[in-house]
Amino acid sequence: VADQLTVPRALVPRRVHGSVPALSRHLRRALAIAALLSPGVVVLSAIPASATTCVAGQASNYFAGYKRNVPTGNAGFAGVSSSVTIEPGGLCSGQGGQNNFYSGWAMITPQQDSGYAQSGFNDDDQENKFTDFASSSSTYTAAPVVYGPVVSANQVHRYWVEFANNILYMNVDGQVLARSTFDPQTVWPAPFRPEFFDEVGYPQNSMPGTTANPVRYGSIETQSVSNGSFSAYSTSYLTKQVSTQNSSWSASVASGSEVDAYTK
Amino acid sequence: VRLQRKYLSIIIGSLLCLVATGCGEVHADSSGAAVTASPASPVASVSPSLLPLPQSDISVLAQTLVTDPGLGGKFSPPPAGAVPSVSAAAAWVTFQGLSMRPELLGQPFTIALADYSNNVQGPVPSPGAPINYTYSAARLSWVVFYRNVAPPARQNGPAGDSYPSPDPNAPHNCDFDFVVDATTGQYVTAFSECNDALVVVPSASASTAKTG
């Protein structure tokens, strides 16, 4: 748009106040309690205590869940959907920074992982819905992210990515939180692949969910590119993938339309 | 040019601050009821256990900003004379309480009074319905703006991909915007964008801002 001016660093008056040390976990917990006093804000009622320390240099991306590795047959996926039972994970302590997180999500991604669109929950101390997307793998780290309403443990929310109007809508329940700015059917190499994963940023993190209360990716559906409709997708087509850096991370099939991810 | 814009923004923001809200004279107690505090107070009182909010960090948005079109956010200068029901300090408490980006606490920020609207978020459209580029009604909001910060938790990308740890010494170029309803005090939404995704919309065309 010609009349727009890119001046991202002069958006608002910027002032620097004194350097303040990072909040301790105790203080963050106190702040979470304070948030309870705010009307309409829901936070986790319990957060697992940190048992381990984040190891510098081990920050990365670790996964436990299921995906369709090499789509065959009816591979014309356009979108993906799952009703996810949210459970907390565990954060490590120390120098975790922005990589000290756990999350769970549903995603549609093209071949060679050359892009993605996802919807799910994310946590630093509380869990909140998020969606983000990238048109290509080169933009992963710069992908725009939107944070939606706060959610809490044991809730079930439908996280889904819908293809319509030649774009992708990233939805939570009945609400759109974001939309792609490109047509995946022309930008991404087909066939697309559905994925359902827990994710953490350190080997010392606990994947959200436990054996008794896993993160359940239920009502798994894929959207047909030919007619736009969502229909159940058999978990028999999905392949388990669990990062091996922590032997407590796990995933399993719960039923023909449900998979679980958790920390044993 | 960037510095000129920055200082012009500061000047305009300060003037608008004086005109519109009295620069932090309006505060609220925990119930959200507006109360008046001394403008001479250097620090907005929040809670002994929370980080304080210096008055110098409070401003009024002077330019219309739009997010990445895929996120649909738009921040505009509030109407002259707009008075929030809750204080910037209360919004700051909400931000800290949610701990959405706790690693940002202690870094430079600005909290600005703004009109917030969005042309993406809303009910899922019916199949086949045309894309709706109409912005929602403006909502008077306090917006916590962070600039030049690290990316958010790197949950981005398909399973199996791994990314190296970020270089702590590398310059960061991400923005984080946290929106609190200035009438109810409730958290609304937040955005994270990198690589200079936010753009400034000239005031003359603010009403017809970027729609994708």
Side-chain angles (χ1 to χ4, degrees):
Chain A
V1 180
D3 62 352
Q4 289 170 355
L5 191 61
T6 301
V7 194
R9 304 304 168 214
L11 302 176
V12 291
R14 181 178 177 184
R15 302 179 179 89
V16 179
H17 63 76
S19 176
V20 181
L23 291 179
S24 70
R25 296 193 59 76
H26 292 297
L27 180 51
R28 287 163 64 179
R29 197 84 73 241
L31 296 175
I33 294 171
L36 279 171
L37 302 177
S38 301
V41 175
V42 179
V43 298
L44 282 176
S45 57
I47 300 171
S50 296
T52 57
T53 302
C54 306
V55 176
Q58 293 186 356
S60 187
N61 299 80
Y62 304 99
F63 304 91
Y66 285 81
K67 67 181 181 182
R68 182 69 160 127
N69 261 338
V70 183
T72 56
N74 181 21
F77 304 138
V80 66
S81 173
S82 180
S83 294
V84 180
T85 304
I86 296 169
E87 297 293 343
L91 302 177
C92 49
S93 59
Q95 302 301 314
Q98 76 270 31
N99 290 297
N100 191 10
F101 73 91
Y102 59 81
S103 64
W105 41 259
M107 173 187 290
I108 190 80
T109 185
Q111 292 301 296
Q112 292 89 45
D113 290 344
S114 51
Y116 71 94
Q118 68 184 144
S119 178
F121 66 90
N122 175 57
D123 178 83
D124 284 323
D125 252 2
Q126 290 95 53
E127 299 166 84
N128 56 278
K129 303 168 184 175
F130 77 95
T131 68
D132 60 358
F133 59 93
S135 59
S136 70
S137 58
S138 64
T139 60
Y140 281 5
T141 57
V145 177
V146 59
Y147 298 76
V150 174
V151 297
S152 57
N154 303 314
Q155 291 181 344
V156 178
H157 292 279
R158 183 187 185 196
Y159 296 111
W160 52 307
V161 180
E162 177 188 28
F163 177 69
N165 302 316
N166 297 322
I167 58 174
L168 292 170
Y169 291 91
M170 282 142 278
N171 307 328
V172 181
D173 301 322
Q175 296 291 310
V176 175
L177 286 189
R179 63 185 173 214
S180 73
T181 52
F182 56 91
D183 180 353
Q185 297 295 330
T186 60
V187 173
W188 286 352
F192 299 170
R193 187 175 65 219
E195 299 193 0
F196 311 91
F197 277 92
D198 282 8
E199 183 178 355
V200 296
Y202 277 96
Q204 294 77 36
N205 292 136
S206 295
M207 290 288 175
T210 63
T211 305
N213 296 295
V215 174
R216 174 151 296 177
Y217 297 87
S219 302
I220 288 175
E221 294 181 329
T222 54
Q223 182 186 22
S224 167
V225 71
S226 59
N227 61 21
S229 64
F230 280 86
S231 59
Y233 187 70
S234 172
T235 56
S236 64
Y237 294 120
L238 299 175
T239 300
K240 181 165 74 174
Q241 178 176 325
V242 179
S243 299
T244 58
Q245 285 78 5
N246 186 326
S247 60
S248 295
W249 298 334
S250 188
S252 56
V253 172
S255 74
S257 61
E258 302 170 314
V259 296
D260 293 340
Y262 48 91
T263 296
K264 293 185 287 188
Chain B
V1 172
R2 178 168 291 183
L3 282 176
Q4 288 175 341
R5 290 176 179 140
K6 176 178 180 179
Y7 290 116
L8 179 62
S9 173
I10 293 173
I11 294 169
I12 295 174
S14 299
L15 291 174
L16 282 174
C17 179
L18 290 168
V19 171
T21 67
C23 296
E25 289 183 356
V26 178
H27 297 284
D29 59 21
S30 59
S31 66
V35 296
T36 300
S38 168
S41 175
V43 175
S45 176
V46 286
S47 164
S49 62
L50 302 176
L51 296 179
L53 176 62
Q55 290 289 346
S56 58
D57 285 332
I58 304 172
S59 65
V60 174
L61 189 66
Q63 298 170 294
T64 294
L65 316 172
V66 294
T67 67
D68 181 287
L71 308 182
K74 182 171 76 171
F75 306 105
S76 304
V83 177
S85 299
V86 298
S87 68
W92 182 235
V93 169
T94 298
F95 173 67
Q96 293 183 77
L98 281 180
S99 193
M100 192 170 286
R101 294 288 305 275
E103 79 278 7
L104 297 182
L105 291 174
Q107 298 188 35
F109 69 96
T110 294
I111 182 167
L113 190 65
D115 267 352
Y116 166 72
S117 58
N118 194 293
N119 70 350
V120 169
Q121 296 181 3
V124 173
S126 301
I131 301 174
N132 183 6
Y133 289 121
T134 303
Y135 279 101
S136 59
R139 177 195 301 229
L140 188 64
S141 302
W142 287 109
V143 187
V144 180
F145 290 101
Y146 280 93
R147 294 293 176 264
N148 298 314
V149 296
R154 292 156 51 119
Q155 70 274 34
N156 318 59
D161 287 329
S162 181
Y163 312 99
S165 297
D167 178 359
N169 299 315
H172 296 307
N173 62 350
C174 298
D175 299 336
F176 181 70
D177 314 315
F178 183 91
V179 184
V180 176
D181 190 305
T183 302
T184 66
Q186 294 187 4
Y187 156 72
V188 176
T189 190
F191 306 102
S192 177
E193 301 179 79
C194 300
N195 293 343
D196 300 345
L198 273 173
V199 298
V200 176
V201 177
S203 58
S205 59
S207 60
T208 55
K210 185 177 181 180
T211 56

